[in-house]
Structure formats: C-alpha cells, structure tokens
Amino acid sequence: MSQLERPILTATHGRVALITLNRPAQMNALNDALMSALGEALLAFDRDEGIGAIVVTGNDKAFAAGADIAAMADWTYQDVVRDQFVTRNWETIRQVRKPVIAAVAGFALGGGCELALACDIVIAAESARFGLPEVKLAVLPGAGGTQRLPRAIGKAKAMDLCLTGRMLDAHEAERDGLVSRVVTPERLMDEAMAVATTIAGFSLPAVMSIKACVNRAWESSLAEGIGFERRELYARFATDDAREGMHAFLGKRKPVFQHR
C-alpha cells in the first residue's frame, strides 16, 4: 500500500508519536479502515516504552469532517448491530494510558469532533470549526458526543450544539472548555509537538497516573475520585522517578527520569 493509500501516517519525534489522518480527498472522513488503523497505531504507541505522548492530527482543511456518510448510507439496523459499529474500533482510544493530544485545524465535525473530545488535550488552530451536525441527517452523535460534550462544556451548550447542528469556532470552543489552547494555523503543529515533548519529558508512570486520576474525576463522584487520587499518590513513592525528581529539586539540578 502506497503512502497515499494509507488511511493514517505515523512518525516518531524523540519520545513523541505523531499520527496523521490521511484521507484528504474525503476531508479525513472516518471510515472503518481508518478507525481500525488509528486504534492499532494508538495501542502500538501505548505499548512502546520509548514513547511518552501521542499527537493526532489531520490537515489544514480538516481534522476530520465526520464519519464516512457514503459508507453508512445504506446500512440497516442489523448491519450496525452485527458489526458493532463504533463499539468495535472507535472506542480503542479509551484503552490508551499515555496522553493523547489532538492538533485540530479546519473542520472537526461529527465523528471528528467526537474523536477530538476523546483526546486528553485539544490544541486548535484559529481555523478550527467544531460541531455535531448529526441531527441534520436524522441520526445522533453516537461515538460519545452526547456524553462527552456535556461533561466538557455543560448541558446547555451541548444541547444547543447537538439539537441545532451549529458549529463553534476555535475561540468559542476555547471559552466553552472544549479546546485547551488556540494558536495561529502556522503554529499549530509546533505548539502541539512542544506540548507533547514537554509531557513526554516527565516521568511516564507519573504522567499516566495523572491522566487516570483526571479521567476518574470526570467519570465518578468526588469521594471516589479523591480515594483513587490518594492511592495513586501513595504509589508514586514506590517509583525510582519520584525519588529522582525530589532529590533533583533539592539539589537544584534537572531530573533524569528512567520512567520507572
């Protein structure tokens, strides 16, 4: 398969993995082949001890302009149930323990918006546009959109977006809490890679623990979250990196983490 035919492209830059969605003629519409390839790449980088953070991006025109409607148009209820549509390969990102950063330019609509929501940090170019327009097709955001969006931006805004299908620009998305940072288009990849490089330079066990704690806060009660956080804190004292980090601080030197 040539590079042009591959649904995703992968590269590594030091301890950072880069995954690029690669269906430019279809505005990176998310079909079955792309989502399977994306899931496989995410899990492979998650297993790779030399990787500390992962960046997922598209192109200047589209991060991903939604699911591939042409592939879905004639599906039946039995088709989607039998094939476990979404469940089978769209949710793989939830298994990834390392931080995943979405670098978004252009359209992030429908499944593309849901993919960004499933990432841990969203860095957007000023050209980015986010939306869940599924209601216009008489369907609904079914890859986590109706669940993750209210948690990110609140019920009122989520209802607005899901029921009207309107789009948010990058700055409104940042104000609402969907986006972590907004930068100029020419700075998008530099910013995303810099953030990923910073994260990947920290102790990997600590980074994965922080991600797990924040996700637990998102999905559980405060009391359960505090208990989980406390256990994770105690567990850091069993790591070499925690001792290195504290002794480096006391010695006024840069820590050298071994990720263990």
Side-chain angles (χ1 to χ4, degrees):
M1 183 181 293
S2 71
Q3 181 166 299
L4 292 176
E5 295 171 318
R6 294 174 186 166
I8 65 165
L9 303 175
T10 62
T12 57
H13 302 268
R15 288 182 53 79
V16 176
L18 175 63
I19 302 174
T20 303
L21 309 182
N22 188 44
R23 301 187 73 213
Q26 296 80 25
M27 302 286 280
N28 288 334
L30 304 174
N31 64 2
D32 195 61
L34 187 153
M35 293 309 297
S36 291
L38 175 61
E40 290 168 7
L42 286 168
L43 293 180
F45 286 131
D46 202 39
R47 292 190 298 267
D48 188 336
E49 294 182 359
I51 296 299
I54 305 166
V55 175
V56 178
T57 194
N59 57 49
D60 292 344
K61 293 183 179 179
F63 176 70
D68 191 338
I69 304 304
M72 298 165 52
D74 294 321
W75 286 352
T76 67
Y77 176 79
Q78 290 299 329
D79 291 332
V80 295
V81 171
R82 181 192 64 236
D83 295 339
Q84 292 188 300
F85 175 51
V86 174
T87 303
R88 180 169 50 81
N89 51 10
W90 287 61
E91 292 291 307
T92 307
I93 194 169
R94 295 181 61 193
Q95 302 174 38
V96 179
R97 296 187 300 162
K98 295 172 182 175
V100 181
I101 299 161
V104 180
F107 294 110
L109 303 178
C113 183
E114 290 171 306
L115 176 58
L117 281 167
C119 294
D120 303 306
I121 294 173
V122 180
I123 299 176
E126 291 171 334
S127 64
R129 297 293 182 270
F130 299 86
L132 294 171
E134 286 88 345
V135 68
K136 298 178 181 180
L137 305 180
V139 290
L140 57 85
T146 65
Q147 303 305 300
R148 291 191 177 99
L149 192 63
R151 287 168 168 80
I153 69 175
K155 176 185 174 181
K157 278 281 190 173
M159 283 287 193
D160 181 357
L161 294 184
C162 291
L163 292 176
T164 68
R166 79 178 182 90
M167 289 189 287
L168 297 181
D169 65 28
H171 291 290
E172 185 176 3
E174 183 186 32
R175 289 196 300 272
D176 290 344
L178 192 158
V179 164
S180 311
R181 308 182 187 190
V182 176
V183 297
T184 59
E186 58 271 17
R187 287 189 54 226
L188 175 63
M189 291 311 300
D190 287 343
E191 184 77 4
M193 294 301 290
V195 170
T197 299
T198 295
I199 293 169
F202 296 132
S203 167
L204 181 57
V207 165
M208 292 193 300
S209 178
I210 291 167
K211 172 173 174 171
C213 286
V214 174
N215 280 335
R216 183 60 62 99
W218 212 34
E219 298 170 358
S220 65
S221 68
L222 177 60
E224 181 183 343
I226 290 291
F228 184 86
E229 177 191 74
R230 200 60 38 79
R231 291 191 296 273
E232 288 295 310
L233 172 64
Y234 292 169
R236 294 314 98 218
F237 287 86
T239 67
D240 294 337
D241 282 349
R243 282 185 288 278
E244 166 63 12
M246 287 185 269
H247 282 286
F249 175 81
L250 293 172
K252 297 182 180 180
R253 60 176 175 82
K254 185 176 180 178
V256 179
F257 295 123
Q258 300 299 318
H259 310 290
R260 60 174 185 259

